[in-house]
Every structure is written in C-alpha cells, then in structure tokens.
C-alpha cells in the first residue's frame, strides 16, 4: 500500500538527516516496550557472544506472540559506547537470524525496527567476518516462512540496515532515512571529502518520499510537527497502527506465498534500479 505524505517545503534533505539522528528521537526499545510491555529480551548468537547494538526477544502484541528486534543506540554516553551507537558486529546479525529461526519454528511474526548508521566498520568486526555475516543474514531472511515487517524508525544505513530489513513489507517514519550509504560515507568514497556530506545527502535519494516514489517502501508514517521526538507517544501510536494494518494483511498468507512475494519484492526493486537511470547512484564529481 502506498501512502501520500505531506510536503516537506521547509525542510532540506540535510535537515531530515538531522531529524533522523536527533538524540531525543524514540529508539527501538521505546517502541518495543510500548508494543509489548511483557517483552522478554533474548541474548547471544550461540557462537561467540551477544551484541548489545541489537535488542531482540519475544512479547505479546494485540494478543499475539511476536518476535521483536531493533537497533538500539543508547541514551547517554556510557550506553552509546556499550551499544556501539547501534552499529552491529557479526554477532548481532547471527543473533537476529538465530531468533528469526526460532520465530519460524513457533510461527511467530517478526517485527524489525531499523535505526543504524551502518554495520560497525572496525578491525574487530572485519576480523570476525562482518561482510559474510551480513550476506548470510540477507540470504537467510528469504527463507524465514513467517510474516516479516520492517520499520525504518531513524537511520537506515547501508548493508548494516539491510541485514535486518529483508521483509515482506517495509515502512518508514516520515523523517527517517534509508540509503546505500550514510552521507558522510558517500562523500568520503566519491570525493574523498567528508565535508561534502550535505551535497551527498541531496543526491542519495534517502528521504521517505523518494523511497516511497521508487517503491522501495510500502508506506510512510507521518510524524508530529517538528519530528518524532516532539511527541513520542503519538509517534509510537501511529507506527503501531501502521504495523498492525500490514501484519493483518500478511497473516492469512501461506508460507510459500509469503516467501515468493518477498523474493519478488526485492527482485522488483533490483529491476527498477537497473531499468531507470533516475534510480541509480547520482553521487558524482
């Protein structure tokens, strides 16, 4: 389902980026605790350890047990350091898939909340196989035979976001972003100049209207004036209503149909980008 969003006449693309990163913006745990007050967090990838950048577990939402997961950035400096600013290590992607398999075993729908600048790019993550962990997660999401919903609630950066965003339907909050790379990373890669981040943001087509127009997301959920942080309760209520609306449509679908549609959804996005140069990379010299 495609939903119109109000015009953003007064906000530049960079202002949207700043709103997506606002430190008072609701984070994954704010939504999860509102959706499922009995949420029970589960930990570990059963191989090397836990990744606090991803919170995940089970809870009861509208009378149904669901698997909930999301990136958590942290509210203060100590928590942000502990959670690595929401940037996952390989353990996080393995944990996500472990719990997705568990949800599939018991027939629980999955809700994934995306809010990350990207996967952690440090040497530790590289030595532990971050690229292969993301690739394996992306592949396995196409085989999880239960409804999967993703909501981009803040930043959706690169493969770090996609590793938990292969879903039957993807929705976005109005002032969130979703892109192949963060503006800073794109500017550094293309121009070797981080200072051109604003220019990169303008060209990346990362705002919710851009992605809705391309068919990358199914719905944009409106935020209160000034951003989600100005009225968190209203934002949570709006997102909850949108998630339930999409889940209701997915629940009756047989597993084989879900998997087929999930695959075709991403094949459509791939063909769209390949066929229309407007949707290709625009960052250039």
């Amino acid at each position: 389902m495609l939903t119109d969003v109000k015009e953003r006449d007064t906000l530049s693309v960079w202002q949207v980026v700043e709103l997506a990163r606002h430190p008072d913006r609701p984070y994954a745990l704010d939504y999860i605790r509102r959706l499922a007050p009995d949420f029970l967090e589960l930990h570990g990838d059963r191989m090397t350890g836990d990744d606090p950048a991803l919170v995940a577990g089970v809870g009861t939402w509208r009378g149904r047990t669901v698997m909930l997961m999301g990136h958590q950035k942290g509210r203060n400096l100590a928590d942000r350091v502990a959670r690595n600013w929401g940037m996952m290590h390989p353990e996080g992607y393995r944990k996500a898939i472990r719990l997705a398999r568990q949800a599939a075993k018991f027939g629980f729908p999955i809700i994934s909340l995306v809010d990350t600048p990207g996967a952690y790019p440090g040497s530790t993550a590289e030595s532990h196989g971050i690229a292969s962990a993301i690739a394996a997660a992306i592949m396995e999401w196409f085989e999880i035979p239960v409804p999967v919903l993703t909501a981009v609630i803040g930043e959706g950066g690169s493969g770090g976001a996609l590793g938990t965003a292969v879903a039957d339907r993807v929705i976005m909050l109005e002032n969130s972003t979703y892109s192949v790379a963060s503006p800073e990373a794109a500017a550094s890669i293309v121009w070797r100049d981080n200072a051109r981040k604003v220019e990169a943001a303008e060209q990346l087509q990362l705002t919710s209207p851009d992605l809705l127009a391309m068919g990358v997301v199914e719905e944009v959920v409106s935020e209160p004036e000034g951003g989600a942080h100005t009225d968190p309760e209203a934002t949570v209520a709006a997102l909850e209503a949108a998630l339930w609306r999409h889940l209701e449509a997915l629940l009756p679908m047989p597993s084989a149909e879900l998997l087929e549609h999930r695959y075709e959804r991403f094949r459509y996005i791939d063909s769209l980008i390949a066929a229309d140069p407007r949707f290709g990379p625009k960052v250039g010299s």
Side-chain angles (χ1 to χ4, degrees):
M1 179 176 69
L2 301 182
T3 301
D4 293 332
V5 293
K6 61 179 179 287
E7 290 293 325
R8 197 184 279 108
D9 332 56
T10 58
L11 292 183
S12 68
V13 172
W14 187 251
Q15 286 174 317
V16 174
V17 171
E18 291 182 319
L19 278 177
R21 297 172 172 176
H22 198 287
D24 294 330
R25 193 173 179 85
Y27 291 153
L29 276 174
D30 299 309
Y31 294 101
I32 289 172
R33 288 169 177 159
R34 168 73 156 70
L35 292 173
D38 64 347
F39 174 69
L40 176 65
E41 187 173 357
L42 302 172
H43 298 273
D45 66 350
R46 298 299 186 267
M47 291 179 65
T48 56
D50 190 37
D51 187 348
L54 181 77
V55 294
V58 292
T60 307
W61 177 43
R62 299 204 179 198
R64 177 181 293 273
T65 302
V66 294
M67 183 69 71
L68 299 136
M69 60 181 69
H71 303 96
Q72 184 69 14
K73 291 179 174 177
R75 285 293 174 200
N76 54 53
L77 181 58
D79 196 24
R80 287 171 188 149
V81 170
R83 295 188 182 278
N84 206 33
W85 281 267
M87 295 184 291
M88 286 163 58
H89 286 74
E91 295 87 339
Y93 296 99
R94 290 193 289 262
K95 175 168 74 170
I97 289 301
R98 179 179 77 82
L99 296 181
R101 291 192 202 110
Q102 193 174 77
K105 178 180 179 180
F106 294 104
F108 301 156
I110 301 170
I111 296 173
S112 176
L113 305 179
V114 170
D115 187 12
T116 181
Y120 181 56
S123 59
T124 303
E126 291 292 337
S127 66
H128 290 179
I130 187 69
S132 61
I134 293 172
I138 290 172
M139 289 179 63
E140 188 145 358
W141 278 113
F142 285 103
E143 299 179 0
I144 300 298
V146 293
V148 182
L149 285 176
T150 289
V152 183
I153 59 173
E155 294 181 272
S158 191
L162 189 58
T164 58
V166 176
D168 301 299
R169 298 193 183 181
V170 179
I171 65 177
M172 291 179 71
L173 287 180
E174 178 184 358
N175 295 312
S176 59
T177 60
Y178 194 23
S179 177
V180 67
S182 70
E184 291 86 350
S188 295
I189 292 167
V190 175
W191 297 303
R192 302 291 189 268
D193 185 0
N194 185 280
R196 296 177 72 173
K197 62 186 181 183
V198 175
E199 185 179 352
E202 293 284 349
Q203 298 188 40
L204 278 169
Q205 295 183 293
L206 48 70
T207 66
S208 57
D210 290 329
L211 294 155
L212 185 68
M214 287 189 280
V216 173
V217 302
E218 276 75 22
E219 181 176 349
V220 173
V221 180
S222 295
E223 296 183 22
E225 186 174 356
H229 61 286
T230 64
D231 192 344
E233 283 300 312
T235 305
V236 172
L239 184 65
E240 179 186 17
L243 287 169
W244 181 249
R245 185 163 57 250
H246 287 281
L247 183 60
E248 275 193 309
L250 294 171
L251 286 172
M253 294 176 64
S255 295
E257 188 177 349
L258 276 175
L259 294 177
E260 181 181 356
H261 284 189
R262 193 178 307 159
Y263 175 79
E264 291 300 330
R265 181 186 187 279
F266 283 86
R267 288 295 296 166
Y268 162 76
I269 294 170
D270 178 64
S271 63
L272 183 74
I273 293 170
D276 194 328
R278 293 179 304 162
F279 298 154
K282 288 190 174 181
V283 178
S285 57

